[in-house]
């Protein structure tokens, strides 16, 4: 039960940082530049790849071996399952968001805005799962305080990249003609999937503890799929230069440092 509460708190934190970022819509007058979009999407990708390795895969391998399982085998299985699920769900999710964004919103969103909102919303799903699972792992092994600080480091890293994401979703919506309040709400809600999937993942992990290594690897598979399939192509298409790559490097370094120093 504790695991679910902590998963909820951790993901609510990440969610509220997105809302804070979306609040900028009320006072920022400037258009958001493509370079800025490229940087923040690249940055999010870097945080997610580093989080997959340090917060999900490595603890997953360790837990599998403690359980007497073959670490690499369990981890590869979970990882592939995550990738396969998203391969199947990708098209469905896109259709869903397209119809939802287009339905009765009185404004005509540009295709590029739609792609950006979708890329950010979809990547928040595995992020929520990752934070939820990291806290359930920590709660299942209270004797290892490093797991808890690792989960907190992960929530912090995800939270940091969510701030500019909230802004990056809300501002283009405003530019496309959405009312300020609605642009704020849509920006904020792009991260509402985080508490939802974080809590779901924590519930599953609490009831089937032996599956923990598999679930951690599963979340890592979905993270890496989303980064390679959605975030990085979107980041590179926003900006012709190397800023998206540099944003990625910065995100990767930040998450790695957070995990290694705090976790
Ligand atoms: Zn995010």
């Amino acid at each position: 039960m504790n695991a679910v509460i902590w998963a909820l708190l951790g993901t609510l934190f990440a969610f509220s940082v997105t809302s804070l970022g979306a609040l900028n819509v009320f006072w920022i007058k400037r258009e958001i530049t493509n370079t800025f979009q490229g940087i923040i999407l690249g940055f999010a990708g870097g945080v997610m790849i580093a989080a997959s390795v340090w917060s999900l895969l490595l603890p997953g391998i360790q837990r599998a071996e403690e359980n007497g399982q073959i670490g690499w085998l369990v981890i590869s299985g979970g990882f592939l399952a995550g990738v396969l699920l998203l391969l199947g769900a990708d098209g469905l999710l896109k259709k869903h968001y397209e119809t939802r964004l287009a339905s009765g919103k009185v404004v005509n969103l540009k295709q590029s805005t739609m792609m950006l909102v979708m890329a950010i919303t979809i990547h928040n799903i595995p992020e929520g799962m990752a934070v939820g699972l990291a806290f359930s792992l920590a709660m299942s092994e209270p004797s290892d305080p490093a797991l808890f600080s690792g989960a907190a480091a992960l929530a912090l890293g995800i939270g940091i990249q969510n701030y500019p994401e909230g802004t990056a979703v809300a501002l283009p919506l405003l530019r496309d003609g959405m009312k300020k309040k609605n642009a704020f709400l849509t920006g904020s809600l792009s991260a509402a999937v985080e508490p939802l999937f974080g809590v779901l993942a924590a519930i599953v992990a609490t009831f089937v503890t032996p599956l923990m290594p598999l679930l951690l690897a599963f979340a890592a598979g979905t993270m890496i799929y989303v980064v390679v399939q959605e975030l990085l192509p979107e980041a590179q298409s926003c900006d012709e230069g190397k800023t998206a790559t540099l944003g990625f490097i910065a995100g990767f370094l930040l998450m790695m440092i957070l995990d290694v120093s705090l976790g």
Side-chain angles (χ1 to χ4, degrees), residues 18 44 48 120 123-124 127 158-159 161-163 165 191 194 231:
T18 307
M48 289 173 79
I120 290 188
H123 98 284
N124 280 331
E127 276 185 8
I158 302 276
Q161 48 107 5
N162 276 358
Y163 182 80
E165 282 170 14
E194 291 201 9
L231 286 190

Side-chain angles (χ1 to χ4, degrees), residues 78-111:
F79 189 85
L80 273 178
V83 170
L84 286 175
L85 179 89
L86 277 200
L87 267 176
D90 206 1
L92 287 176
L93 280 174
K94 283 211 178 113
K95 268 226 134 52
H96 173 73
Y97 285 119
E98 256 165 37
T99 37
R100 229 195 55 185
L101 279 173
S103 70
K105 282 283 175 329
V106 285
V107 280
N108 247 330
L109 293 181
K110 277 195 197 151
Q111 183 67 14

Side-chain angles (χ1 to χ4, degrees), residues 138-211:
M139 289 299 124
S140 73
E141 233 172 297
S143 56
D144 188 353
L147 286 176
F148 186 82
S149 35
L154 177 65
L156 184 64
I158 302 276
I160 291 174
Q161 48 107 5
N162 276 358
Y163 182 80
E165 282 170 14
T167 313
V169 172
L171 283 183
L173 291 172
L174 185 70
R175 178 202 57 203
D176 286 7
M178 207 181 250
K179 288 208 178 76
K180 276 186 181 172
K181 203 184 91 205
N182 291 341
F184 162 71
L185 284 176
T186 310
S188 171
L189 285 179
S190 68
V193 290
E194 291 201 9
L196 182 70
F197 281 85
V199 165
L200 274 177
I203 290 175
V204 175
T206 313
F207 285 109
V208 268
T209 25
L211 286 187

